[in-house]
Every structure is written in C-alpha cells, then in structure tokens.
Amino acid sequence: MAAVANTVSTLTLRPSPHAFAVPAMGSLPFLRRRMRSRRLAAVQQDAAVWTPAPVSSFGPATADGSLVHFSVDLSDAADFAASYTTPGQYLLIRVPGEDELKPAFMAIASPPGGAGFEFLVKTVPGTTAEKLCGLHDGDVLELGAIMGNGFPISRINPPDEAQTVLLFATGTGIR
C-alpha cells in the first residue's frame, strides 16, 4: 500500500492589537500587505490509496501487437472490485517501480460484478501504456480508486431492444 508522507512548513504569526476588531474598509490594503508577509503552513499528503492486483492473463489484441488485452485478479480485493458498479467507469493504473512515469487513466473493459478487471491498451512509447503493453502473467500492478459516473445503461429504452451494448471511445475526457 502507499505510504502517506506529511510535510509541514513553518507558520509565523505576529500578535496584533486589533486581532478581534472588524477592519474598516480603508484598512483592507494594509491587511493584504500583512497577509503577504506571513508564511502559511502547507501540508502535502499522498492521499491516493493503491490496490495491488496481479495480472491473470495477458496477450496481444491485434496481429501487430499495438493493442494488448490483459486481466487483473481482484479475488484478494473483493471490496475494491465491488466498487466498480457502472460500465464506463475508469481508474488510475501504475506499474510499481516505475516512479518516473505518471499513472495512466484506464477505462475498465469488463462488465461490473466480476472478480477482476479487463483492460485494452494501445502502446504509446515512453508512457505507462508502453509498460502495460510489456506485462506478463503474474506481474503486479497498482490500481487507484474507481472514478466516474459511467454510462447509464439502464436508460436504454426499451431495454429489450438492446440485448448487447458496445461502447467505444478513444482519448481522454470523452463523455
């Protein structure tokens, strides 16, 4: 799991004889100058919680290998798997030991309710996606919290007309 690091800087306070007085409108520039001269405390925390997940299957999804399909096993993290409730939700994935790479936002390609998640990833040189495309069965990834509202599949009307719904998207931020 991720360690939580706290960093606290110094807070300098100066007593003021007018600490409880309501400032007059003309004194606001004075207050702005006084506020600029103070050093304020800052707390920095790594609030992200990462769930380790072993790769349970891995293989190319295209003949040229530019797309890969892999699954992660969440049988040891049932509560985490249960937090995926709606198709279209996504999460952050990072590869342990690859600290120079930013975690990647990835859409979950499997339906909710399973004991694992599936992903379809296009390789992009120099990114986390490239590292994900070089995985092997048994490698461990770290998954961030499930995010997004997903797609309201229940709003398909009439539901009997659409026995299968396929959702396709590329890029980031598509709604």
Side-chain angles (χ1 to χ4, degrees):
M1 295 294 164
V4 176
N6 292 325
T7 306
V8 178
S9 62
T10 310
L11 174 64
T12 305
L13 298 175
R14 287 184 258 162
S16 170
H18 308 289
F20 298 104
V22 176
M25 290 306 284
S27 67
L28 288 178
F30 168 74
L31 289 174
R32 282 191 211 113
R33 282 192 304 274
R34 199 168 85 186
M35 291 302 291
R36 269 184 264 158
S37 68
R38 293 185 184 174
R39 292 185 319 191
L40 301 176
V43 177
Q44 180 183 13
Q45 295 182 347
D46 179 9
V49 176
W50 296 95
T51 301
V55 175
S56 57
S57 70
F58 181 88
T62 58
D64 66 356
S66 62
L67 288 175
V68 298
H69 174 263
F70 67 91
S71 300
V72 294
D73 179 16
L74 293 171
S75 57
D76 290 339
D79 289 344
F80 180 77
S83 67
Y84 173 42
T85 59
T86 308
Q89 289 181 300
Y90 57 94
L91 49 72
L92 280 171
I93 295 181
R94 69 180 182 184
V95 179
E98 298 291 339
D99 296 333
E100 73 279 358
L101 295 175
K102 294 185 342 183
F105 284 98
M106 293 287 160
I108 302 168
S110 53
F117 296 160
E118 296 178 33
F119 298 93
L120 183 64
V121 181
K122 178 182 178 183
T123 186
V124 178
T127 67
T128 299
E130 180 182 38
K131 294 293 181 182
L132 294 173
C133 290
L135 295 172
H136 302 285
D137 289 356
D139 287 349
V140 176
L141 299 173
E142 293 178 327
L143 308 179
I146 306 296
M147 296 181 271
N149 296 327
F151 302 106
I153 301 297
S154 61
R155 291 180 52 192
I156 295 173
N157 193 9
D160 297 342
E161 293 295 319
Q163 294 177 355
T164 301
V165 178
L166 302 174
L167 304 172
F168 296 91
T170 62
T172 302
I174 294 176
R175 293 187 174 250

